[in-house]
Amino acid sequence: MQETINFIKSKINDFKPELAIVLGSGLGAFCDSLDGVRIPYSEITGFAPSTVKGHKGELLFCEIHSKKAVIMQGRFHFYEGHSLGATTYPIKVFKKLGVNKIILTNAAGSLKKDLTPGSIMAISDHINFMGSNPLIGENDETLGTRFPDMNDLYSKRLRDVLFDCAKDLNIDLKEGVYSALTGPSYETPAEVRMLALLGASATGMSTVPEAIVAKYCSMEVLGVSLITNYAAGLSDVAPNHKEVVEMGKVAGLELSKLLHETIKRI
Ligand code: HPA
């Protein structure tokens, strides 16, 4: 960890990020107009290489609306073969760099007919169906406690700001529970029915481990899903990665606007 921090500090000097943003599939457009210091994951000791198409794999340190931020363009997924520890390592690094707020975005499948593809959903809570937890193992007391509370994980305060911004921008923002399975196979229709029955609105293969670690590190967390498709069994079209990335690009523009406005106000 100290080696990672030293290396990053050698690139960013005394820049101290307070906000982290993790961009999901196809959401790279958010960064297009931003200038700053870019560091590919492949150069950072302790970071695993990102292997998914549509994910760039670099950190961008920059100022957005006069907030100092670090943006993850592309994340690490459990299904790539990384441990949950490796998947969430960047979150711990961000904490050590001074980050106290994090925006987690993802592409997700809808579990409900009335949550249509192209919608943006504020995550109110999650269900961890990955079968493991990123905090398993020896605890680092400098980051957080052994048995962290997961109440109000997705900060009500930040969600209220997000909803205010959506209203002002005329965006029909939805809200719901995000469920995560490991992937990389998409869910079966029976699994999709089960998730809906258990109270989830959307499903994906990321975010939950990072959210758990961010909350453990006492960060304020804002989670936003871009609904890219109907999950299996809800439409005639089977979920596929091309559709996810393409819808991410289209609806991602609206999400980019929403995030920019939100960042001004948090
Ligand atoms: N299922 C799981 N993950 C996803 C989906 C889906 O339908 N769409 C985008 N990510």
Side-chain angles (χ1 to χ4, degrees):
M1 175 62 80
Q2 201 49 52
E3 214 178 306
T4 308
I5 301 291
N6 291 346
F7 173 76
I8 291 174
K9 284 194 170 162
S10 76
K11 300 278 183 187
I12 63 172
N13 301 314
D14 56 0
F15 184 89
K16 197 168 176 287
E18 53 182 307
L19 170 71
I21 305 164
V22 180
L23 298 175
S25 297
L27 297 174
F30 179 82
C31 284
D32 285 353
S33 58
L34 298 173
D35 241 346
V37 177
R38 291 173 192 269
I39 315 178
Y41 298 158
S42 57
E43 290 181 11
I44 307 175
T45 321
F47 272 47
S50 166
T51 63
V52 191
K53 273 189 197 160
H55 291 259
K56 206 165 184 175
E58 65 182 21
L59 292 184
L60 169 60
F61 290 86
C62 61
E63 250 187 59
I64 319 179
H65 310 299
S66 61
K67 295 220 166 46
K68 292 191 168 65
V70 53
I71 303 176
M72 268 190 100
Q73 275 194 281
R75 54 153 58 87
F76 303 110
H77 299 88
F78 196 37
Y79 63 72
E80 291 174 84
H82 308 304
S83 66
L84 287 183
T87 304
T88 54
Y89 182 70
I91 312 297
K92 296 178 186 173
V93 171
F94 298 159
K95 179 69 184 182
K96 296 267 183 194
L97 290 172
V99 167
N100 56 25
K101 287 185 205 73
I102 188 162
I103 302 176
L104 301 171
T105 68
N106 59 51
S110 165
L111 300 169
K112 296 172 163 183
K113 266 281 173 209
D114 62 357
L115 183 61
T116 49
S119 306
I120 301 173
M121 186 190 91
I123 302 177
S124 57
D125 205 345
H126 75 221
I127 301 177
N128 179 9
F129 259 122
M130 289 186 153
S132 189
N133 189 295
L135 301 176
I136 289 175
E138 198 183 332
N139 187 47
D140 179 351
E141 290 288 330
T142 67
L143 287 170
T145 177
R146 173 75 291 188
F147 300 109
D149 161 44
M150 292 287 130
N151 225 353
D152 196 37
L153 193 168
Y154 299 91
S155 156
K156 177 77 170 70
R157 186 187 80 82
L158 294 183
R159 249 183 303 147
D160 285 347
V161 176
L162 188 74
F163 271 95
D164 285 345
C165 294
K167 192 162 167 245
D168 293 348
L169 293 172
N170 246 324
I171 293 172
D172 180 21
L173 180 64
K174 311 287 189 194
E175 185 171 45
V177 172
Y178 174 85
S179 59
L181 277 66
T182 65
S185 57
Y186 287 108
E187 305 70 29
T188 63
E191 286 164 345
V192 167
R193 290 194 298 275
M194 172 193 75
L195 295 168
L197 203 62
L198 294 179
S201 293
T203 190
M205 307 171 190
S206 68
T207 306
V208 162
E210 292 130 311
I212 291 171
V213 171
K215 171 71 172 165
Y216 155 78
C217 292
S218 310
M219 291 184 194
E220 267 192 301
V221 180
L222 180 66
V224 190
S225 290
L226 193 56
I227 305 301
T228 50
N229 58 287
Y230 279 124
L234 283 185
S235 92
D236 298 337
V237 188
N240 61 86
H241 190 58
K242 189 165 168 271
E243 179 190 30
V244 168
V245 172
E246 277 169 11
M247 183 57 100
K249 279 184 188 148
V250 178
L253 294 176
E254 195 168 53
L255 179 53
S256 280
K257 266 198 287 179
L258 179 59
L259 290 183
H260 274 284
E261 189 57 33
T262 305
I263 290 162
K264 282 184 204 163
R265 302 191 201 178
I266 61 175

